[in-house]
Amino acid sequence: MAKKAKKEDKEGKLQLALNELRWINTPVNYTSYAKSYSLIQQDVMLLVSGRLQDHFAKFLNEHRYLSKERPNGAITKEDLLKMGPIRLRLADFGIDSSHYDESVKVINQMKKIEFHLPRFDPETGLRKGEDYMPIFSKIFIPKNFTSREGEDLNYSGDGDTKIDEDGQEVRKFRRDGYIEVTINIEVAKAVFDMTDGYFNHLERIAYFCNSAYTSRLYLLLMKYASKSQMHPVIDYRELKEALGMFKVDVEKSEQPAKVVTTEKYQKFSQFRKQVLDVARGDMERLCEENKIEIMLACIDPDKKGYEPIYRGSAKRGNPEKIKFHIKRTPLGLARELELHRGSSEKRLCAKLMSLYPTLDEDRLKTFLADVPEDLWNDFKTYAYNGVPKAVEQPHSWNGTMEEFVFYIMGQWIKQHSAKPGPQQQTFAFAEAEEIKPGEKEWQQFLCLIDKDLAADLRKAQFLSYDGTYLLLGVPNKALPTMIEEHLNDIAVLNHTEKCSAKVFGKILSLKYKIVKQ
């Protein structure tokens, strides 16, 4: 019993990680520019990459990469100008919105994020040198408000208004918990170029890691793992370069100026101990915490998940190459299954939409996503073959064809989900299980809105919907604040209102009630 309980606890934690963590697509091109960033800088850039996912999806959906000519990158000048500044929540960096002083460290790191892009001679095509420029052309930091006359209207969390000495009501201003950044267009077009491919990975990997080397090695190896190359052999110098082991400086004191390259951990023994072993240990910790999809592991314990390859028989000094042995963690295996399930759902959805074009596509996507994993393969077979046959056969259904399709699929799931009993019978037109008014629409609504907002809303419990207000049960006062912070973003708010109008026929008004979970 204890072993069973422990197994169920592990499975529960794994499912919780799958639900709460967020994955993003990042261009392969990005990794060649980010090899010397600190953990904070890496985290900032991956958060920015996360905000650009709609543009990456647009690029992939248009299949520009299938063009015979070299395609343009996913991000255009027009895209960036239309998108405007990007907001990064202070909460994402573990900073409370009322403690702006703590954000100084993050902001100082952000100001130091720069890229160097090659400059070529327009006539000869030869590389002339490199342009160094910051990734962010502007960083906006909300602070206390002041009037035009210079009067300080400080933020206070006591309420929204106060009474002055004359008994007049004076409004107090609330600061939002975010930093706003504007991307340098020229740099973004180069760094976030999708033409050389992309790979899918955890958005907050740098935030989880204890060492910058861990996240750098993770991104490098995820490029191989995404192509199922689980035992890549990487040139030793190329590996060190990818992990930021070479620093280039220009000594202007000498005439002419001299370029000096400094190499960290010149001996392999140092590099192994300070970089590879540190990263491997960090990955093992993250594996236990369900915060990483891959780790270094090998059947032979002496190889420690990687092995140096030397030229000739002598095995001393610096190796020529490093062979890595990548293993998927339980989270990685579950994520692979989820990705496979996702693509399978898309294909089935496309097939059913081609057969029955008047189906509500959003409703169909939500329905397919809710099919239990243990029934998915059998359900697919039924949906591809059984549904068309059932629709073509004579039946006594009085509703629309669309409702009939959803009904027969729902009945199949209900019948196959039920545990067999000694006197159990199945009926073709069984009554639907009783659910609370608005609960079904609420689940559809969560599938359509912003993923980050939906993740926080799922932490709340659906209590009731009276046609005007939707009541949610929350464990504390902090959760409603987190939910409202999402809606400070105008784009998120507008999209949420559109989804609400589509599902409920009106814009939702939320109320909260503290309940024991």
Side-chain angles (χ1 to χ4, degrees), residues 28 71 165 340 484:
V28 169
E165 296 177 355
H340 175 73
E484 295 304 321

Side-chain angles (χ1 to χ4, degrees), residues 141-397:
I141 309 162
K143 293 187 176 180
N144 293 350
F145 289 86
T146 55
S147 68
R148 292 183 182 275
E149 292 75 24
E151 181 187 0
D152 190 18
L153 302 173
N154 288 330
Y155 164 81
S156 174
D158 300 333
D160 293 327
T161 60
K162 67 178 181 179
I163 305 299
D164 65 12
E165 296 177 355
D166 299 325
Q168 298 295 316
E169 192 177 79
V170 179
R171 180 172 179 78
K172 288 194 293 186
F173 295 83
R174 178 175 295 276
R175 290 188 308 198
D176 296 320
Y178 68 87
I179 299 171
E180 200 172 73
V181 297
T182 302
I183 305 180
N184 185 319
I185 293 176
E186 188 175 353
V187 176
K189 287 169 63 178
V191 174
F192 295 111
D193 189 334
M194 294 282 279
T195 56
D196 291 328
Y198 70 96
F199 58 100
N200 188 265
H201 65 88
L202 276 170
E203 180 184 43
R204 302 307 306 278
I205 185 63
Y207 184 76
F208 297 145
C209 293
N210 286 337
S211 167
Y213 299 134
T214 308
S215 51
R216 293 175 197 170
L217 184 61
Y218 163 87
L219 291 173
L220 178 64
L221 296 182
M222 280 299 290
K223 291 195 298 183
Y224 292 98
S226 65
K227 301 175 184 177
S228 297
Q229 298 176 13
M230 307 304 284
H231 303 280
V233 178
I234 305 175
D235 180 84
Y236 183 59
R237 184 177 177 84
E238 290 179 4
L239 172 65
K240 294 193 71 176
E241 190 169 342
L243 298 181
M245 296 293 107
F246 296 99
K247 184 179 179 182
V248 178
D249 292 309
V250 178
E251 292 187 356
K252 296 181 179 180
S253 57
E254 296 189 21
Q255 296 297 329
K258 183 180 179 182
V259 178
V260 179
T261 301
T262 306
E263 179 182 359
K264 291 185 68 176
Y265 308 123
Q266 296 183 19
K267 294 182 178 180
F268 175 66
S269 58
Q270 296 173 326
F271 178 71
R272 178 179 59 199
K273 182 178 180 181
Q274 301 295 333
V275 179
L276 298 181
D277 288 349
V278 168
R280 180 173 57 85
D282 209 7
M283 287 180 173
E284 289 174 355
R285 174 186 62 83
L286 293 174
C287 174
E288 291 293 323
E289 298 175 2
N290 287 322
K291 291 180 179 177
I292 198 168
E293 315 99 297
I294 59 170
M295 59 185 295
L296 295 176
C298 186
I299 298 176
D300 185 349
D302 293 332
K303 293 180 180 177
K304 299 182 180 181
Y306 64 89
E307 53 183 307
I309 299 176
Y310 294 88
R311 185 190 297 271
S313 58
K315 294 186 178 181
R316 60 177 180 270
N318 292 339
E320 184 182 10
K321 302 172 188 282
I322 299 288
K323 183 176 183 179
F324 289 96
H325 301 284
I326 307 171
K327 177 184 176 182
R328 295 198 188 277
T329 65
L331 178 66
L333 293 172
R335 174 62 179 166
E336 277 291 293
L337 183 63
E338 189 176 67
L339 286 174
H340 175 73
R341 166 73 182 261
S343 59
S344 185
E345 285 178 16
K346 288 181 181 178
R347 288 192 295 270
L348 179 55
C349 182
K351 177 64 176 179
L352 292 174
M353 289 300 299
S354 68
L355 293 174
Y356 314 108
T358 55
L359 287 175
D360 185 328
E361 187 172 2
D362 290 333
R363 182 183 174 188
L364 179 59
K365 289 178 180 178
T366 302
F367 181 93
L368 296 180
D370 289 338
V371 176
E373 187 62 44
D374 58 334
L375 296 178
W376 177 249
N377 287 331
D378 291 337
F379 174 79
K380 273 196 309 179
T381 303
Y382 171 74
Y384 278 115
N385 303 310
V387 168
K389 290 180 181 178
V391 170
E392 292 170 2
Q393 290 177 356
H395 51 76
S396 57
W397 183 262

Side-chain angles (χ1 to χ4, degrees), residues 427-444:
F427 300 92
F429 293 90
E431 293 184 5
E433 294 181 8
E434 184 178 353
I435 58 174
K436 298 176 183 178
E439 188 171 8
K440 184 178 180 181
E441 290 81 1
W442 176 247
Q443 295 302 324
Q444 293 178 11

